[in-house]
Amino acid sequence: MSIHTKKIEKKVTVSTIRNMKSVEPITMITAYDTLFAKLFDGKVEMILVGDSLNMSFSGKPDTLSANMEMMIYHTKAVCNGAKLPLIVFDMPFGSYTTKDRALKNATRVYRETDAQAVKIEGGKERAKIIKTLTNNSIAVVGHIGLMPQFVRSEGGYKVKGKNENNIKALVEDAIAIEKAGAFALVVEGVKSEAAKAITDAVSIPTIGIGAGIDTDGQVLVWSDMFGFFEDFKPKFAKQYLNGAKLIKNALDEYVDEVKNRKFPTDEFTY
Ligand code: KIV
């Protein structure tokens, strides 16, 4: 098997991402801290400091209780570790309910962190909010399809794009978001025909998660793809590593060595 190991050598910008549509698939991964961000640096074009950290990092049942303070804290940590990817700040639930609130909070993101863009969940109903941000020089990534911040109002995580009417509505959402000035669009949890229709309808890149092969790029949550989050395995999240097993095995070895006075040996002693 040949593995693509192209190293990214220059800082990725909004224009880099825009220009990748139909040229080269975009890679994006989530990160929440410096340690992992450093490992991802130079390997992916984009890092999302996702509000999914509220679940995998903070142990909450959904993303809804994430807030600006914690997102800013984690984004600063990620920016300290990753210098080359374009870093996207995920606007938490309730932080962009009005144009003024969205502008105040997104301005805070630019002032207090080195993130280059913010991500907002929602369709055409969010177009005015996105326009307010882009009019004020804040780069925006949209997010349509299955939107985790709607989990309570929709009564669960629902796959979208299952019929013609819904595909049409998703395409309209995507066009409205592009017109509002977003430079990229996350498309989550939709049937692959819907993701293709959305991707064909807009000139900004689409980044899929659980949306099939036809989007302009892919994003995965790091703890899912590296097998650290054991509570739930989404169908779309390919596990590239069994991180939990590796950690547990290593920890068993450490505990065994301490209990049996095999660690530290002379090699690890002053
Ligand atoms: O919060 C997150 O990690 C996300 C991805 C699922 C796209 O929004």
Side-chain angles (χ1 to χ4, degrees):
M1 186 177 61
S2 94
I3 295 181
H4 176 93
T5 50
K6 187 184 113 183
K7 181 141 172 55
I8 294 162
E9 272 159 2
K10 274 194 357 213
K11 177 72 183 162
V12 178
T13 65
V14 166
S15 339
T16 323
I17 298 301
R18 274 185 183 283
N19 293 335
M20 286 178 77
K21 186 168 176 102
S22 313
V23 175
E24 184 186 334
I26 298 162
T27 52
M28 188 191 211
I29 185 171
T30 65
Y32 314 135
D33 63 76
T34 305
L35 199 65
F36 278 89
K38 224 176 206 167
L39 295 175
F40 306 155
D41 200 14
K43 292 196 177 285
V44 291
E45 282 88 16
M46 297 172 88
I47 288 186
L48 170 66
V49 187
D51 61 359
S52 53
L53 66 81
N54 206 47
M55 299 168 77
S56 53
F57 206 89
S58 303
K60 299 282 168 36
D62 56 39
T63 61
L64 302 195
S65 53
N67 59 38
M68 284 298 293
E69 277 59 43
M70 64 199 267
M71 294 306 297
I72 285 189
Y73 171 85
H74 285 279
T75 303
K76 283 182 180 170
V78 168
C79 293
N80 288 341
K83 300 299 171 197
L84 297 174
L86 185 144
I87 294 174
V88 181
F89 178 100
D90 206 2
M91 296 286 280
F93 181 69
S95 67
Y96 51 96
T97 46
T98 64
K99 290 191 274 184
D100 286 350
R101 179 175 291 203
L103 185 56
K104 184 166 162 262
N105 282 321
T107 303
R108 197 175 155 204
V109 173
Y110 268 15
R111 288 227 170 101
E112 294 180 30
T113 79
D114 292 328
Q116 291 145 282
V118 298
K119 178 170 81 59
I120 283 187
E121 290 185 16
K124 50 171 101 61
E125 74 285 359
R126 300 278 195 219
K128 287 200 175 122
I129 285 172
I130 295 175
K131 185 98 187 109
T132 301
L133 300 187
T134 56
N135 278 348
N136 283 281
S137 316
I138 294 166
V140 176
V141 176
H143 182 157
I144 60 169
L146 184 161
M147 294 172 286
Q149 291 179 10
F150 289 61
V151 62
R152 294 192 203 169
S153 59
E154 292 189 351
Y157 297 105
K158 312 268 188 217
V159 173
K160 301 286 164 61
K162 286 184 171 172
N163 59 53
E164 252 178 55
N165 281 346
N166 189 232
I167 295 179
K168 191 166 164 273
L170 286 166
V171 167
E172 284 168 11
D173 283 340
I175 292 171
I177 289 166
E178 176 175 19
K179 275 200 184 131
F183 73 96
L185 179 61
V186 168
V187 180
E188 177 167 2
V190 304
K191 299 287 280 179
S192 56
E193 312 84 88
K196 180 163 175 22
I198 295 164
T199 302
D200 290 346
V202 292
S203 60
I204 55 174
T206 56
I207 302 170
I209 172 162
I213 195 85
D214 290 315
T215 50
D216 299 303
Q218 298 290 333
V219 52
L220 282 177
V221 172
W222 79 267
S223 43
D224 290 337
M225 69 181 289
F226 296 135
F228 284 100
F229 192 60
E230 291 186 295
D231 301 355
F232 172 67
K233 290 192 186 87
K235 173 181 162 65
F236 60 80
K238 179 169 173 186
Q239 215 174 285
Y240 287 84
L241 183 79
N242 192 338
K245 194 168 168 213
L246 290 175
I247 296 275
K248 285 178 183 173
N249 288 348
L251 196 53
D252 283 346
E253 197 178 328
Y254 164 72
V255 170
D256 176 72
E257 289 191 357
V258 172
K259 297 284 182 198
N260 291 297
R261 298 206 180 277
K262 289 189 203 152
F263 173 83
T265 51
D266 285 351
E267 186 190 352
F268 301 103
T269 304
Y270 290 110

